[in-house]
Amino acid sequence: GEDVKPFTPEKSKEIVMSLQQPAVFCNMVGDWPALHWNVKYLSAVLEGKTIQFRLGLKTVDLVPQFETSCSYVEATLEEFLAWSCGQPSSLSGPFSCYDHTKYWAYADYKYIARIFEDKPEIFQDVRWSDFGFPGRSGKESTLWIGSEGANTPCHLDSYGCNLVFQVQGRKRWHLFPPGDTSFLYPTRIPYEESSIFSKVNIANPDLKRFPEFRNSTAHVVTLSPGQVLLVPRHWWHYVESIDPVTVSINSWIELDADHEARVEEAITRMLVCAIKSAENPSDGDPWLNPTEVEATSHEINLQYLNKAVSAYLQCQETSVSGQARSSSAGAEQKTNTSCKRKRREVGCEPESCTLQTQECDFPTPKAEELQEIPFGPHLIQVLPQSHKTSVTGAVAVESDSRDLLRENEGEHFGKLHCKRKRLLMSNDCETAAHQMDSDCSPCTSQTALSTNDLLDCLVNPRVISLVAQLLLERIRV
């Protein structure tokens, strides 16, 4: 029958929790009411309520367009829709100040529970229970609405894995495995809890400043309406809207390893806030991401660190005492989206989580393990781009979900792939001059180091991971 899904909730959850490579679920959400959440429908539901949009330039620079360099407006979805479709400026409200041919707009990272707090019945339109998470609905999800060109700078999320449901329009995802972290030049400026940004503009990489980006391996996929993308833990991603209007719904699935990650995030917050707050405010460095309400004090950050450590230790005690439980019970995961970002605002404290703690980084699955995953028309593996693909054959425009299948069979596409192929074929002689400093800014004739240069080294994920391990060992003694 039409209502029969290709995977049971139990099998879906098994895939989500075990697969450590990105994949796309198909034919799983055809009966979800949220499949009809296009902008026109949402506009009618919100009845003129305004939400915040981030605006950026469509021109592609060598520097990522971080949220600190964007403009912001409060507008209705009616005004957004009129603006994105090129209707008269009299209908686009505050968007009228921005040429829609030169700017994109993104209402990103909006909690559905907050937007529709007066219409809680709408939460049931999102049914993550089909993926093995009973009780999880739109209330534990976030909404993303964008125009063509709207994008999220390349970053990785410290907590959880991610399920992304595409509702309207298409988005192109560039994903990089955790092992590529050093090639992506991680930075914590701008600072946002649980988001580690890349200094590289994936759409237009600066190979002189970031030569090691050549060694990264992109997995590129275009997500179409009705498809759900699994973004495994610690996979980097750059996301861009490629249709005039796009709508996505996502939910972060909390994992056991998040307890150690919260300790690492607490250490990072303490260092970044302490060092950046000591700078002269007149320097004008917008180091705090707009998603962070304020720079918290040292005392508050120390409290957060202690709570995170206590929660981690409680989890370890629970794990030791529960070793006799069956493997199925031990694999049960608690989910909590509100812990993803902006922890203080949503009121989720670390001690409220009672998960077992695993190793921080998942091992790469072996070939025989991947063979057990039911890849096929209902679960499409997002494969790495082939370095052997010709530049001419790399570009393609997708019109429907069939292109997704063709893409993963080797017909790769996109700006990134073309640029990387040209760079791979170019003279490599400049690389050696920059290899002395692959994790921080490349060595140049400029000898004056900035506070941010120091922070990039101090709060590098590898350094923070080591500090967290040493700190936890100290507590255990």
Side-chain angles (χ1 to χ4, degrees):
E2 294 182 0
D3 294 335
V4 177
K5 300 181 186 298
F7 305 112
T8 64
E10 294 75 21
K11 186 61 179 179
S12 298
K13 184 174 183 179
E14 178 187 329
I15 293 170
V16 169
M17 290 304 190
S18 62
L19 185 58
Q20 299 309 315
Q21 291 189 1
V24 175
F25 287 90
C26 300
N27 308 311
M28 286 289 292
V29 296
D31 59 346
W32 287 23
L35 190 58
H36 307 291
W37 281 21
N38 56 39
V39 173
K40 188 175 181 179
Y41 170 80
L42 292 173
S43 175
V45 174
L46 286 175
E47 300 175 327
K49 184 177 182 179
T50 61
I51 56 177
Q52 187 181 72
F53 289 84
R54 172 166 56 99
L55 291 104
L57 286 166
K58 288 185 177 180
T59 53
V60 181
D61 198 357
L62 290 174
V63 180
Q65 234 176 133
F66 290 121
E67 294 174 57
T68 49
S69 62
C70 290
S71 301
Y72 293 83
V73 300
E74 290 279 339
T76 65
L77 286 183
E78 292 98 327
E79 292 167 336
F80 165 75
L81 197 56
W83 175 79
S84 61
C85 296
Q87 294 182 15
S89 58
S90 59
L91 302 175
S92 57
F95 286 110
S96 60
C97 301
Y98 302 89
D99 185 343
H100 85 281
T101 65
K102 297 180 180 179
Y103 286 87
W104 49 258
Y106 210 3
D108 59 348
Y109 200 74
K110 300 291 185 283
Y111 278 108
I112 291 175
R114 294 175 189 160
I115 296 178
F116 302 107
E117 59 186 352
D118 57 340
K119 295 180 172 64
E121 66 277 2
I122 203 171
F123 301 155
Q124 303 311 313
D125 287 3
V126 182
R127 303 171 178 173
W128 296 114
S129 56
D130 286 343
F131 287 85
F133 303 100
R136 176 168 283 257
S137 66
K139 189 176 182 180
E140 297 81 24
S141 307
T142 53
L143 184 68
W144 309 69
I145 302 172
S147 66
E148 183 178 1
N151 63 81
T152 302
C154 187
H155 68 284
L156 70 78
D157 301 315
S158 301
Y159 309 145
C161 63
N162 193 2
L163 286 173
V164 186
F165 165 36
Q166 192 63 25
V167 178
Q168 180 180 5
R170 295 168 300 158
K171 280 185 175 179
R172 184 168 297 153
W173 286 71
H174 301 255
L175 300 118
F176 301 84
D180 281 3
T181 293
S182 62
F183 306 146
L184 289 160
Y185 298 83
T187 182
R188 295 313 299 261
I189 305 295
Y191 174 76
E192 175 183 275
E193 182 181 348
S194 85
S195 293
I196 303 176
F197 292 102
S198 168
K199 287 185 176 182
V200 182
N201 185 352
I202 303 303
N204 188 24
D206 185 347
L207 269 297
K208 288 186 177 180
R209 287 191 64 201
F210 310 115
E212 291 297 315
F213 181 68
R214 288 189 180 91
N215 299 321
S216 65
T217 303
H219 296 60
V220 181
V221 66
T222 297
L223 201 63
S224 297
Q227 297 175 333
V228 176
L229 173 67
L230 166 64
V231 182
R233 184 174 189 266
H234 285 181
W235 273 72
W236 293 83
H237 45 285
Y238 166 80
V239 190
E240 181 181 9
S241 297
I242 60 175
D243 281 329
V245 175
T246 62
V247 176
S248 307
I249 297 170
N250 89 291
S251 193
W252 283 280
I253 309 301
E254 189 170 83
L255 301 172
D256 292 347
D258 291 349
H259 285 287
E260 185 167 349
R262 284 196 176 84
V263 175
E264 295 174 0
E265 283 296 299
I267 296 169
T268 301
R269 173 179 284 274
M270 179 173 285
L271 288 173
V272 172
C273 287
I275 293 176
K276 293 300 290 185
S277 297
E279 280 191 320
N280 190 335
S282 63
D283 291 345
D285 178 19
W287 62 274
L288 199 64
N289 219 41
T291 52
E292 292 291 321
V293 180
E294 61 182 356
T296 43
S297 68
H298 182 78
E299 289 74 22
I300 290 176
N301 291 334
L302 187 59
Q303 289 177 23
Y304 177 36
L305 174 61
N306 278 287
K307 289 177 181 178
V309 170
S310 296
Y312 173 85
L313 295 176
Q314 287 174 15
C315 269
Q316 287 229 312
E317 292 173 4
T318 303
S319 179
V320 171
S321 62
Q323 284 182 352
R325 298 174 185 172
S326 66
S327 58
S328 60
E332 195 66 26
Q333 302 285 333
K334 176 183 175 183
T335 58
N336 192 335
T337 303
S338 63
C339 287
K340 171 64 182 64
R341 293 192 205 173
K342 303 178 79 172
R343 165 191 44 81
R344 297 172 310 286
E345 185 174 332
V346 298
C348 177
E349 293 297 336
E351 68 264 31
S352 66
C353 305
T354 55
L355 305 182
Q356 298 179 24
T357 304
Q358 300 173 343
E359 290 299 316
C360 187
D361 291 316
F362 288 105
T364 302
K366 299 177 182 178
E368 57 269 22
E369 293 173 343
L370 284 177
Q371 289 177 358
E372 297 176 2
I373 301 294
F375 292 118
H378 305 299
L379 182 68
I380 303 169
Q381 187 178 9
V382 181
L383 298 173
Q385 288 188 334
S386 170
H387 288 247
K388 298 179 181 178
T389 306
S390 67
V391 177
T392 305
V395 181
V397 178
E398 314 76 53
S399 59
D400 57 31
S401 61
R402 289 172 297 178
D403 295 306
L404 178 67
L405 288 167
R406 289 202 294 270
E407 173 190 339
N408 286 290
E409 290 169 356
E411 294 181 28
H412 304 295
F413 61 88
K415 295 183 293 184
L416 174 65
H417 184 67
C418 293
K419 288 182 180 297
R420 290 188 67 243
K421 279 301 297 178
R422 287 198 296 269
L423 292 165
L424 286 166
M425 294 186 296
S426 65
N427 192 335
D428 233 17
C429 62
E430 69 182 6
T431 304
H434 299 281
Q435 283 182 337
M436 293 179 64
D437 192 12
S438 63
D439 286 331
C440 306
S441 299
C443 297
T444 64
S445 57
Q446 181 180 355
T447 57
L449 292 171
S450 68
T451 303
N452 291 354
D453 291 326
L454 175 63
L455 274 174
D456 281 340
C457 297
L458 277 179
V459 297
N460 182 285
R462 290 179 296 171
V463 176
I464 292 297
S465 178
L466 176 59
V467 172
Q469 291 174 33
L470 292 171
L471 200 61
L472 292 170
E473 287 176 7
R474 177 184 293 265
I475 293 295
R476 293 189 191 101
V477 174

